[in-house]
Amino acid sequence: MSEETPGFDEKPEVPVDGTPDEPKAADSSQEEAAPGPDGDDAQAAAGQETALLAQLDQARTALSERTADLQRLQAEYQNYRRRVDRDRITVKEVAVASLLSELLPTLDDVGRAREHGELVGGFKSVAESLETVAAKMGLQQFGKEGEPFDPTIHEALMHSYAPDVTETTCVAILQPGYRIGERTIRPARVAVAEPQPGAAPKSAGSDSADAEGEAPSDKDADAPDKG
């Protein structure tokens, strides 16, 4: 019997040609199969960038549309506010004019009482308070003697001819007119006079003729007596 040397293990046999064993060969095949930064990754990245750009363009288009809608809505609201304010002012003027129109006969009575000297005592205080309130509400009286006749604000109740007027003139105010701002709520009722028919105004020729007619008499007066 042969004796085994204690402490030494048997070594595995190594091929003579030095070919690596099978596990190492498997590792090398796995390294060859591992993916790297090839063209597929670049295409994927380009596709993602294109998609992001398309989404950005869509967002910009939607933002532009919403901005235009907001501007249009704001303009419509401003027009609505101006229209409402204008209508409110018009309604207020109509209401005030309607109220003051009912007070005009009373104001006429106050005016006639003042002309006849009957506006005294407590009646005078009440009348002045009424006129003050009417003036605060915008009521204005118009119509004066001697002003030219204007059919838009005057109503002629009497007509006559006068030699001392050169155009149709208001010679008497029968009833004063009233307005609120530019709105006339009652025209002034007046008596008018027109120039006398056939009366021609004096011209410069007639004046010169009169002067020439007077000239000989002055010369005769200054001339010495003959004989």
Side-chain angles (χ1 to χ4, degrees), residues 31-150:
E31 291 178 358
E32 293 177 358
D38 53 4
D40 295 338
D41 294 338
Q43 292 179 358
Q48 292 180 357
E49 183 178 0
T50 303
L52 291 175
L53 291 176
Q55 293 179 359
L56 180 60
D57 292 339
Q58 292 178 356
R60 288 176 177 173
T61 302
L63 178 61
S64 300
E65 292 177 353
R66 299 292 85 77
T67 303
D69 293 341
L70 180 60
Q71 292 175 348
R72 183 168 55 254
L73 182 62
Q74 186 176 7
E76 292 177 355
Y77 177 69
Q78 294 295 334
N79 293 333
Y80 168 76
R81 286 192 59 184
R82 284 193 290 266
R83 186 169 60 254
V84 168
D85 293 339
R86 185 172 59 250
D87 293 344
R88 184 184 297 112
I89 293 174
T90 302
V91 170
K92 180 180 178 181
E93 290 179 351
V94 170
V96 171
S98 177
L99 173 62
L100 294 178
S101 297
E102 299 296 329
L103 294 178
L104 294 186
T106 303
L107 295 176
D108 292 337
D109 293 338
V110 171
R112 283 190 290 268
R114 181 179 287 111
E115 291 176 357
H116 292 84
E118 299 176 356
L119 199 62
V120 293
F123 178 52
K124 179 179 180 181
S125 300
V126 173
E128 291 178 349
S129 298
L130 179 61
E131 292 174 340
T132 301
V133 172
K136 287 182 179 180
M137 297 179 69
L139 185 66
Q140 300 176 357
Q141 180 178 331
F142 65 91
K144 295 181 180 179
E145 295 182 4
E147 63 185 5
F149 176 75
D150 186 354

Side-chain angles (χ1 to χ4, degrees), residues 201-212:
K202 292 183 179 181
S203 61
S206 61
D207 295 338
S208 61
D210 293 341
E212 291 176 356

Side-chain angles (χ1 to χ4, degrees), residues 144-150 154 156 158-160 162 164-173 190-195:
K144 295 181 180 179
E145 295 182 4
E147 63 185 5
F149 176 75
D150 186 354
H154 296 141
M158 298 177 63
H159 179 270
S160 63
D164 56 345
V165 297
T166 58
E167 60 179 344
T168 305
T169 306
C170 300
V171 294
I173 306 299
V190 300
V192 298
E194 293 183 356

